[in-house]
Structure formats: structure tokens, C-alpha cells
Amino acid sequence: MTTVKTPNPYNPSMNQPEKPAEQDPRVYFAAERTFLAWIRTGLGLMGIGFAVSRFGLFLRQLSATESHLPSATGLSLWSGVALVTLGVIVNLSAVLRHLQLIHQLSSGTWQPGRVSRDAIILALILGAIGIAMAIYLILVR
């Protein structure tokens, strides 16, 4: 018994026969969405880094007006700068990875199922930063 593929009036792209990945425009659109998500992540890191570094300035101003508050350290400045730098690195890495992926797709050398090393590295770095910040907050109280 064979099944006959009936046309799908709601999604005409499903009526077409399967194409190789390098010829399917949906693969390129998915690659672009992934690229834009990495750019959004980098911009978010830069925005949070800027806010963290400016929070140190706010604490310095607050401690200058209140004599009983301890003076703020430069830790927020340097952690903010580190987050902004990490955001820049993420954006540059996203550009390089996207160009590499598009080249692999257009040349037919792309292999599915590749693990995203960039995502794993970023997750590990952010996890380490989170643990370090939690330890700092517990110790400073």
C-alpha cells in the first residue's frame, strides 16, 4: 500500500519535493535567525555590562553624599567592562560563524548535527561569572 501525498493548500512549500539543505531557502533563513539571536545576545551582554559599570558610579555618588555608607569598589566597573567585552566577542564570533556556515551551505560541505561550541563556551563563561558574582555577594553582604 502506497500513500499519495495530497497537496497542502495552507503551506505550498510542503507540496514541493525535498531539496538538499544547500538548496533549501529555509535553511538559510534558519541560519539568519540564529545569527540574529547571537547578535541579540551580544547586545544584551553589552547593555547589562554598561548598566553594571554605571551602577558602580551610582554607588560612589551615593557613598559621597552619605557619610555612613562604605565607599564602593571598582569591581562593578571592571565586571561591567568584562561583560561589554564579552558581548563584543559574542557579536564578532557570531559574524564569523555565520559567514562560515553560509560558505559551507553554498559549497555543499555543511554537515548537520554539529554541536555549537560557541554556545557551550558562552554558557560556561556566563555560568562561571554567575557563580563568582554569587560568591562575591555572599562574602560582601
Side-chain angles (χ1 to χ4, degrees):
M1 175 185 244
T2 61
T3 59
V4 177
K5 186 175 180 182
T6 58
N8 186 342
Y10 301 109
N11 190 353
S13 65
M14 292 186 67
N15 299 335
Q16 300 170 359
E18 289 294 318
K19 296 178 184 178
E22 59 270 1
Q23 294 178 357
D24 191 355
R26 294 176 295 180
V27 174
Y28 289 95
F29 295 145
E32 189 159 338
R33 282 191 306 273
T34 303
F35 172 61
L36 292 174
W38 276 107
I39 295 296
R40 184 178 61 231
T41 301
L43 288 174
L45 284 169
M46 289 189 289
I48 289 172
F50 182 79
V52 166
S53 67
R54 293 297 97 192
F55 187 69
L57 178 65
F58 168 72
L59 288 178
R60 277 194 296 265
Q61 293 296 325
L62 190 61
S63 68
T65 59
E66 300 286 332
S67 61
H68 60 77
L69 290 176
S71 64
T73 64
L75 184 63
S76 64
L77 172 68
W78 291 110
S79 59
V81 168
L83 285 171
V84 169
T85 304
L86 184 62
V88 170
I89 291 169
V90 165
N91 282 341
L92 294 176
S93 171
V95 169
L96 293 175
R97 178 65 188 127
H98 182 69
L99 292 174
Q100 180 186 28
L101 178 63
I102 295 301
H103 175 69
Q104 288 175 350
L105 285 170
S106 62
S107 67
T109 59
W110 175 76
Q111 294 177 351
R114 182 177 171 268
V115 175
S116 176
R117 284 179 285 149
D118 299 337
I120 292 172
I121 291 170
L122 179 63
L124 290 173
I125 290 172
L126 290 176
I129 289 172
I131 290 171
M133 290 174 74
I135 291 171
Y136 173 75
L137 290 173
I138 289 171
L139 294 176
V140 170
R141 285 194 242 184

